[in-house]
């Protein structure tokens, strides 16, 4: 078992980023809510605990307080921003609201080039974002660094291995931040830094085997990276007792069903049950034009098909488990009401995300991983790069890229158009995160040869993004756009006009529905 660090979340927008950085340093960590009970923390046998920042002042009524049992555990602590103020406040220091909030770049002079700051130059550039600050240290603490406006930019009680930073080491605007975290993890906590994809896979296989015993496991494949990596991992653990189900709902891109089959059967040696449900979905969508309605119909039908398949593949050995590709951000986001999105923009139907009332126990081997870690695990498992770096594709598939009614004819047009867009953008060097065609409900007049046409308008969507939460339209080279446009009009029957979507997210979304 690798070393573990616990990160207590006091509500900072950067908490996940702290976890990312710790893991970049090859140390396993988990984020727990700030009021997690003692046993939830000690169960993980952590080597150290990081207290995140947060939006509160320690003087706010109802502000999260320092769990005092942390001080009895005898483990190294690192408080960041609000985490530092909490330590100072509860240990007898003085915390005050300065007249101005400090926000942005700051220069910090190191007073003691040891522990957190060993082997660092001075001064260093850091990112500050705080209201309150500490004006008197608690007993036993020494100053480690200061800035012009902040007398205690870092403090430590070395005897008790308690450290704290007023600035944020986890953001890129603190260039030496990773070094500071490295010093904490390796020098203070004594972590080994041996948490690698291979180590993760070995541990996950052991856990899956221990959990499922001799039962069979069902896994819904979407063709996306998460469900593929989850299936490959579970397949490694239980071999033929894994039953992968791929529902072809007829809303897939050109060549998709074949590609998924190929990867699983030929590359991974895993059998997959492909359910041809093409007609069913299009039939249910007849006459439906409302985007939310489409999503709901597809989600419900998917569950029905999946349940039927689960019954059809039943043998004497019961199928008790369902493997899913749930990732860590989903787990964190769905934790408390304060972390849930206020408004539902779209009903996301992820075919890897079936409801729990399907009466299976869930096996979620990726539930503590971030997307890039899943990709690293996928590569380590020998999955092809095309799968591992696949662009996201919505569960409801092409249905949410056809505005208006979904018909076989319109699906055929969009599928052909989408293949052209993907082929051309795949070929260019641009860093595009996601790219596809959208079939609009518009028809316009054109001229081809000597004749008038009255045909469909296809929109091209190509965005840059880090995580899909925000996005900008990709500045594709004009010659790429020109090639896409001329190929679409020439090669896809029924299309006589092409437009390029130049809106960012927000205010738009990436998908059109
Ligand atoms: P939007 O359109 O909300 O999309 O900006 C953000 C990202 O999520 C993908 N997306 C989905 N993924 N099931 C999924 O698994 C869905 O129902 C779904 N809808 C949108 C979208 O392609 C983009 O990457």
């Amino acid at each position: 078992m690798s070393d573990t660090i616990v990160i207590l979340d006091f509500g900072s927008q950067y908490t996940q980023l702290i976890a990312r950085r710790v893991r970049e340093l090859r140390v396993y960590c988990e984020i727990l809510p700030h009021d997690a009970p003692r046993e939830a923390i000690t169960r993980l046998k952590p080597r150290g605990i990081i207290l995140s920042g947060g939006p509160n002042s320690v003087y706010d009524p109802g502000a999260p307080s320092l769990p005092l049992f942390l001080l009895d555990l005898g483990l190294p602590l690192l408080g960041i921003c609000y985490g530092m103020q909490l330590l100072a406040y509860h240990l007898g220091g003085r915390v005050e609201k300065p007249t101005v909030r400090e926000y942005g770049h700051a220069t910090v002079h190191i007073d003691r080039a040891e522990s957190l700051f060993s082997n660092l130059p001075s001064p260093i550039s850091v990112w500050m974002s705080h209201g309150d600050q500490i004006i008197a240290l608690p007993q036993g603490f020494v100053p480690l660094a200061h800035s012009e406006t902040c007398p205690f930019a870092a403090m430590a009680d070395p005897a008790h291995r308690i450290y704290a930073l007023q600035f944020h080491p986890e953001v890129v605007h603190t260039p030496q931040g990773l070094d500071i975290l490295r010093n904490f993890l390796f020098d203070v906590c004594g972590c080994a830094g041996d948490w690698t994809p291979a180590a993760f896979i070995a541990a996950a296989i052991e856990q899956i085997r221990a959990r499922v015993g001799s039962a069979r496991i069902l896994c819904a494949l979407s063709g996306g990276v998460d469900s593929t990596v989850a299936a490959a991992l579970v397949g490694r653990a239980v071999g033929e007792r894994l039953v992968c189900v791929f529902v072809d709902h007829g809303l897939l891109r050109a060549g998709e069903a074949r590609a998924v089959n190929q990867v699983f059967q030929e590359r991974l040696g895993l059998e997959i049950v492909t359910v041809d449900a093409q007609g069913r979905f299009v039939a249910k969508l007849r006459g439906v034009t409302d985007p939310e309605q489409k999503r709901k119909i597809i989600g419900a039908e998917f569950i029905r098909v999946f349940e039927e398949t689960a019954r059809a593949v039943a043998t004497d050995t019961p199928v008790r488990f369902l493997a899913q590709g749930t990732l860590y951000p989903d787990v964190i986001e769905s934790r408390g009401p304060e972390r849930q999105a206020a408004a539902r923009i779209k009903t996301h139907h992820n075919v890897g995300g079936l409801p729990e009332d399907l009466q299976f126990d869930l096996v979620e081997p990726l539930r503590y991983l971030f997307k890039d870690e899943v990709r690293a695990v996928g590569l380590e498992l020998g999955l092809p790069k095309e799968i591992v770096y696949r662009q996201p594709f919505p569960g409801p598939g092409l249905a949410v890229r056809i505005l208006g009614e979904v018909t076989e004819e319109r699906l055929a047009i969009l599928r052909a158009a989408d293949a052209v867009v993907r082929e051309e953008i795949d070929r260019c060097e641009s860093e595009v995160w996601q790219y596809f065609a959208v079939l609009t409900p518009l028809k316009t007049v054109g001229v081809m040869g000597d004749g008038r046409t009255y045909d469909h308008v296809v929109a091209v969507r190509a965005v840059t993004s880090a995580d899909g939460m925000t996005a900008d339209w990709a500045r594709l080279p004009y010659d790429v756009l020109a090639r896409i446009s001329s190929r679409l009009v020439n090669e896809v029957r029924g299309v006589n006009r092409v437009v390029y979507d130049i809106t960012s997210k927000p205010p738009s979304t990436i998908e059109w529905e």
Side-chain angles (χ1 to χ4, degrees), residues 36 50 55 279 420 489:
I50 299 179
V420 169
V489 173

Side-chain angles (χ1 to χ4, degrees), residues 61 76 79 147 206 246 263 280 290 300 350 355 382 384 450 474 496 500:
S147 76
E206 227 171 86
F246 179 65
V263 166
R280 273 176 80 154
D290 178 66
N350 184 341
D450 293 328
N496 72 352
Y500 188 45

Side-chain angles (χ1 to χ4, degrees), residues 92-123:
R94 273 181 59 206
V95 179
E96 260 190 20
K97 256 192 201 339
T99 40
V100 281
R101 261 185 75 87
E102 194 173 13
Y103 183 82
H105 287 285
T107 300
V108 159
H109 298 269
I110 294 171
D111 302 320
R112 288 168 189 250
E114 57 191 42
S115 62
L116 294 190
F117 297 113
S118 66
N119 298 319
L120 257 70
S122 179

Side-chain angles (χ1 to χ4, degrees), residues 56 58 260 289 350:
N56 292 92
V58 289
V260 171
T289 54
N350 184 341

Side-chain angles (χ1 to χ4, degrees), residues 117-452:
F117 297 113
S118 66
N119 298 319
L120 257 70
S122 179
I124 58 170
S125 181
V126 305
W127 187 255
M128 293 276 194
S129 170
H130 63 100
D132 293 356
Q133 70 177 32
I134 290 148
I135 54 155
L137 294 183
Q139 216 180 6
F141 277 77
V142 291
L144 293 183
H146 69 274
S147 76
E148 206 169 294
T149 53
C150 184
F152 306 112
M155 65 176 191
D157 173 355
H160 294 100
R161 297 190 296 171
I162 302 177
Y163 296 83
L165 301 167
Q166 182 61 82
F167 57 89
H168 290 275
E170 67 276 21
V171 304
V172 288
H173 310 293
T174 301
Q176 270 84 18
L178 206 60
D179 296 321
I180 298 171
L181 288 173
R182 183 185 289 115
N183 285 338
F184 178 69
L185 299 174
F186 298 136
D187 297 348
V188 178
C189 301
C191 294
D194 57 2
W195 190 69
T196 58
F200 167 81
I201 291 168
I205 287 176
E206 227 171 86
Q207 283 162 11
I208 295 167
R209 285 185 183 150
R211 170 103 196 278
V212 304
S214 57
R216 292 166 85 211
I217 307 183
L218 215 56
C219 182
L221 295 179
S222 68
V225 53
D226 308 339
S227 65
T228 306
V229 173
L233 193 55
V234 176
R236 275 266 178 108
V238 304
E240 286 174 0
R241 281 183 290 118
L242 171 69
V243 184
C244 293
V245 177
F246 179 65
V247 177
D248 182 352
H249 52 22
L251 308 167
L252 301 170
R253 293 171 289 190
E256 196 144 29
R258 196 165 16 97
V260 171
N261 267 289
Q262 233 165 21
V263 166
F264 273 82
Q265 268 150 9
E266 291 167 24
R267 304 280 298 247
L268 299 174
L270 290 172
E271 277 305 313
I272 85 172
V273 179
T274 301
V275 186
D276 182 352
Q278 302 195 28
R280 273 176 80 154
F281 284 80
V282 178
K284 288 269 176 200
L285 291 168
R286 196 165 296 138
V288 179
T289 54
D290 178 66
E292 272 301 281
Q293 198 59 23
K294 283 186 191 171
R295 282 177 175 271
K296 286 192 180 128
I297 289 172
I298 294 166
E301 192 62 12
F302 191 89
I303 291 162
R304 230 155 282 146
V305 173
F306 195 78
E307 280 172 336
E308 288 168 21
T309 312
R311 279 195 293 274
V313 300
T315 60
D316 292 344
T317 319
V319 178
R320 257 197 45 216
F321 294 93
L322 179 71
Q324 293 203 121
T326 315
L327 302 195
Y328 203 25
D330 309 332
V331 175
I332 301 169
E333 298 303 327
S334 59
R335 219 167 237 166
E338 73 278 8
R339 287 225 167 259
Q340 270 171 19
R344 168 148 295 195
I345 311 292
K346 295 175 188 181
T347 303
H348 269 212
H349 157 60
N350 184 341
V351 293
L354 295 164
E356 291 186 34
D357 62 8
L358 273 175
Q359 322 257 315
F360 294 106
D361 289 340
L362 293 181
V363 173
E364 297 174 311
L366 312 177
R367 83 182 260 117
Y368 292 105
L369 298 192
F370 292 104
K371 189 89 173 182
D372 54 338
E373 294 167 342
V374 170
R375 293 202 160 112
V377 167
L379 290 177
E380 184 73 31
L381 286 167
L383 292 175
K385 279 210 171 95
E386 316 87 81
I387 292 282
V388 168
Y389 290 104
R390 220 157 179 246
Q391 49 168 325
F393 185 62
L398 300 181
V400 291
R401 294 179 181 170
I402 292 178
L403 278 71
E405 190 184 359
V406 178
T407 62
E408 292 292 359
E409 185 219 344
R410 304 183 83 205
L411 272 166
I413 295 174
L414 180 59
R415 219 173 256 132
D418 186 67
V420 169
V421 171
R422 282 194 289 144
E423 209 174 293
E424 287 302 329
I425 299 181
D426 277 339
R427 212 182 281 163
C428 78
E429 300 279 285
S430 300
E431 288 274 313
V432 190
W433 195 73
Q434 195 173 5
Y435 40 102
F436 51 88
V438 175
L439 186 62
T440 74
L442 300 172
K443 280 188 150 190
T444 65
V445 174
V447 53
M448 264 192 192
D450 293 328
R452 173 189 190 271

